[in-house]
Amino acid sequence: YAADDVRYLPAVATEIKSRLAKTGHMHWVRAECDALCDPSQYGFNPATAVEKVRGAGSCDARQLNVLAELVVWRDAAAREADLPARAYLRDETLIDLARAMPKTADKLAKIRGLPRPTLEQHGETITSLVTRGAAAPTAGVQSLRGHEPTPGERFAADALWAAAQAICLNQSIDPAAVTSRGEIGELHRHLANGSEASDLRVMRGWRREAVGGPLLGFWNERKPVTLARG
């Protein structure tokens, strides 16, 4: 039963390698596999952890300070419990804590989704962190709210996304493996403003070679992008 789950994998690997050899994409796959095996990208970074919390864009500066305190605490508590951070305490609960800013045990107990064992074990720590975060300076705290595009910007970003999809499909690549609609929208904002976009994933490594570079040609030099027939 267990062997049947994997017995076909050698044959699949052989077929995939054959297809990659025909398309010339083997070096892209190796680069992506090397990146996925790099332990550094899976480490916890307190400086960017808040940005990865779902719903953080709805928080104001004071709430973001509270959230920053809580997300660092959650990572440490989850490690101690040997659980993934989001399994230990959901992002939605962190956001509720940051918004409500409960500074007493009674108010903390009213937070929806806060497990009772966590409340009993860490309640005092949480209220202390909330108090410290709420008192922290807000000057210089950057809002995480996304840019709301105008209809014209949205139309232009959609055109750039369509070009990205065509470039991918013409090379037999799943667009989702390279980039996303949101990232292409961000790329459009950089290009429209004339600002540097090299920090975007689609503009780094093999993704730039496969898609980012051709997109720049499409944007800057008006090189045509066509969708080849399959």
Side-chain angles (χ1 to χ4, degrees):
Y1 155 72
D4 283 345
D5 287 343
V6 296
R7 61 181 172 78
Y8 58 89
L9 292 181
V12 170
T14 299
E15 177 63 21
I16 289 176
K17 288 177 182 178
S18 175
R19 294 185 185 185
L20 289 171
K22 291 177 181 177
T23 59
H25 296 166
M26 181 64 80
H27 65 296
W28 292 348
V29 172
R30 285 175 175 160
E32 185 68 0
C33 289
D34 288 343
L36 290 172
C37 292
D38 181 3
S40 65
Q41 73 166 324
Y42 301 105
F44 178 76
N45 184 350
T48 60
V50 171
E51 301 171 12
K52 298 179 181 179
V53 177
R54 289 186 290 266
S58 65
C59 295
D60 60 26
R62 191 161 172 251
Q63 292 166 346
L64 285 173
N65 281 339
V66 173
L67 187 60
E69 297 283 353
L70 294 174
V71 76
V72 172
W73 161 79
R74 181 181 68 170
D75 180 74
R79 288 174 187 269
E80 184 178 346
D82 196 23
L83 289 170
R86 287 189 173 95
Y88 182 79
L89 195 64
R90 297 183 305 164
D91 283 359
E92 294 86 346
T93 305
L94 282 185
I95 296 297
D96 287 345
L97 286 166
R99 288 174 177 166
M101 298 187 191
K103 299 175 184 177
T104 66
D106 289 344
K107 292 184 178 179
L108 185 62
K110 296 178 181 179
I111 297 297
R112 184 177 57 185
L114 185 63
R116 181 166 294 279
T118 303
L119 176 61
E120 294 174 350
Q121 184 178 359
H122 298 287
E124 191 173 325
T125 298
I126 294 173
T127 54
S128 175
L129 292 172
V130 167
T131 300
R132 185 168 70 185
T138 57
V141 177
Q142 296 293 322
S143 171
L144 299 179
R145 290 185 174 90
H147 169 73
E148 184 62 31
T150 65
E153 289 172 337
R154 189 178 293 110
F155 179 82
D158 285 343
L160 198 62
W161 173 232
Q165 290 177 301
I167 291 169
C168 288
L169 294 176
N170 284 345
Q171 300 180 86
S172 300
I173 307 172
D174 182 353
V178 183
T179 185
S180 66
R181 172 64 181 79
E183 185 180 38
I184 294 301
E186 192 172 351
L187 174 62
H188 171 259
R189 287 193 292 276
H190 280 285
L191 294 175
N193 296 332
S195 57
E196 182 58 52
S198 59
D199 60 325
L200 297 180
R201 189 177 65 148
V202 73
M203 300 306 296
R204 301 196 306 266
W206 71 268
R207 287 180 172 83
R208 183 185 181 101
E209 180 184 348
V211 178
L215 276 180
L216 288 180
F218 172 73
W219 178 268
N220 294 324
E221 304 169 30
R222 296 299 186 262
K223 291 182 179 179
V225 174
T226 58
L227 181 60
R229 294 183 178 179

